[in-house]
Amino acid sequence: QVYRNLGLNQTEIDKYFTGPAFLAWNRMGNLRRWAGPLPPTWHLKQLYLQYRIVERMRSLGMTTVLPAFAGHVPQGILRVFPRVNATRLGRWSHFDCTYSCIYLLDPEDPMFQVIGTLFLKELIKEFGTDHVYSADTFNEMTPLSSDPAYLSRVSNAVFSSMTGADPKALWLMQGWLFQHQPDFWQPAQVRALLHGVPLGRMIVLDLFAESKPVYQWTESFYGQPFIWCMLHNFGGNHGLFGTVEAINHGPFAARRFPNSTMVGTGLVPEGIEQNDMVYELMNELGWRQEPLDLPSWVTRYAERRYGTANAAAASAWRLLLRSVYNCTGVCVNHNRSPLVRRPSLHMDTELWYNTSDVYEAWRLLLNASAELGSSPTFLYDLVDVTRQAAQQLVSDYYLSIRQAFQSHALPELLTAGGVLVYDLLPELDSLLSSHSLFLLGRWLESTRAMATSDREAEQYELNARNQVTLWGPSGNILDYANKQLGGLVLDYYAVRWSLFVSVLVESLNSGRPFHQDQFNQAVFQVERGFIYNKKRYPAVPAGDTMEISRKMFLKYYP
């Protein structure tokens, strides 16, 4: 609305906003245009959804945070205001300037205040305000200058455009940038950006505090209040993971830090719907005075989760607690399992835990299934632990495949490759397809349900499929948001593995060496083919979860 009122045309606006699955990165100045444009009905439906969200939050006494203007503008601004001072930021991640290199207004340019204040006034008129606003100018984007005076001017311009619309404005800012580019954000630069805003009028989210806390090397954000946040998950990946010791002690250490400005705890995962236990734990810690005794906490957790005490289930949870959930040191949870990555001869199979603990937890949960099988939370956990065991097994078969290929052992290659492609992956897919929360179809149908026409439904579905696979037109951030879903395992991951195994077999048969770059070109066609296959996947589960898990156990338990 604001851009149209300023004189931009629809084409210029369409060249700016991304498709729905990538809007978060548009808002942070990383991406433009990709998977767009946004249909007019999208805006309308979002508007009504926003009314409902804001009303619901306020009815519960929650403080709403509205988005503010961070300084990024469409290129069309330059046509309407030819004398405006705007400079292009660099490329983001693996995207070129076709979809990134967004224009940033100079903080001194009068249009910065005009657009920022106009936008916020419109927003407040529409939704009212609780006086807290979010804006991220340099998230994973290198500023145009490292001069502290420039950085202060930018944060001051962002804040002034907020107070121009709301004198009581409080800026909520993600602190990810400081730990993401520590070479650029030296103490002088961090201090300058933070001190461009009056002390107490900004709250910083220490976004990845369980692994890479920023408050420790910035004297508690140089006096600005901060929230100790657990990030935990990247890309909404499946995979059992947690840093329970860091979570259990981190918030208390941050409160005891000299001159601490910590004002709360936060949860900021990139995706939820995985590892429920970790979120349960983090939410509880916000109410505690001191760290918990984790083994006894997790024993009670199992009882609360399933509605009854069960010795086998409690033992399983204590094993998971000490293994998959106890990553220590700097842990970054991108699922790197060969299962969900493009095959190569140099895949990462390193783990931070003892795999036998997961296999044993699997056995114990199956033992508990006679008593707990009617609990929906138990069935979800049984799928999740069986899935984790299968993920571990994929690594074992991959290592056998690689070893066989490197030793020119064709029979062994055919055996290991055959079991992986024709049995283990199809079994995993049927396990996932037996539970509604692990269905690709549910994910895709929910995106189609947002549409008001077939054309929109197609665009939204392509957004969803691209996000969980190629993440960009050419695999720019390939498999970043990998998921283990019934349908996706069989038609995407398994097809890649099948191609990989057959290319290796062909290489041994013909005596010609395996070339990764040639394979990458061939497999890209498979990956892209999945996005455009137009297949409708079931949105309702099929098969008996306990039976499938038990069958896999009898076949594969080491």
Side-chain angles (χ1 to χ4, degrees), residues 99-145:
Y99 295 114
S100 71
C101 309
I102 286 185
Y103 281 91
L104 179 67
L105 280 179
D106 185 85
E108 313 268 70
D109 193 285
M111 283 312 292
F112 201 111
Q113 299 307 315
V114 171
I115 297 173
T117 300
L118 263 180
F119 172 64
L120 218 47
K121 280 182 171 167
E122 286 290 315
L123 215 57
I124 292 167
K125 193 167 81 185
E126 203 75 66
F127 305 114
T129 186
D130 298 322
H131 311 295
V132 187
Y133 307 98
S134 66
D136 298 283
T137 307
F138 297 123
N139 181 70
E140 297 191 5
M141 301 304 289
T142 307
L144 303 165
S145 161

Side-chain angles (χ1 to χ4, degrees), residues 168-301:
K168 293 186 187 162
L170 191 65
W171 179 2
L172 185 74
M173 188 184 82
Q174 299 183 73
W176 175 258
L177 69 172
F178 302 134
Q179 67 78 35
H180 182 72
Q181 291 179 298
D183 293 345
F184 179 91
W185 293 103
Q186 299 284 317
Q189 284 69 29
V190 177
R191 187 193 295 265
L193 191 76
L194 297 177
H195 282 186
V197 178
L199 281 187
R201 298 295 293 275
M202 175 189 263
I203 298 177
V204 186
L205 300 177
D206 202 348
L207 214 73
F208 197 15
E210 80 272 32
S211 284
K212 297 181 179 180
V214 172
Y215 78 88
Q216 292 174 353
W217 58 270
T218 56
E219 298 167 25
S220 200
F221 292 98
Y222 301 113
Q224 292 289 19
F226 78 95
I227 294 175
W228 193 100
C229 297
M230 174 188 82
L231 203 161
H232 180 258
N233 180 273
F234 290 89
N237 298 164
H238 288 110
L240 301 182
F241 173 84
T243 54
V244 289
E245 287 300 338
I247 295 163
N248 195 29
H249 291 99
F252 305 104
R255 289 200 73 178
R256 289 193 306 268
F257 190 72
N259 302 316
S260 176
T261 52
M262 176 178 163
V263 291
T265 56
L267 287 81
V268 290
E270 284 191 347
I272 51 172
E273 299 189 4
Q274 36 72 35
N275 293 296
D276 297 359
M277 181 272 265
V278 176
Y279 300 98
E280 202 72 52
L281 173 64
M282 186 63 218
N283 271 319
E284 197 166 316
L285 286 168
W287 301 97
R288 296 284 180 158
Q289 299 299 320
E290 57 189 19
L292 295 155
D293 175 331
L294 290 175
S296 60
W297 179 85
V298 89
T299 303
R300 292 197 311 279
Y301 169 78

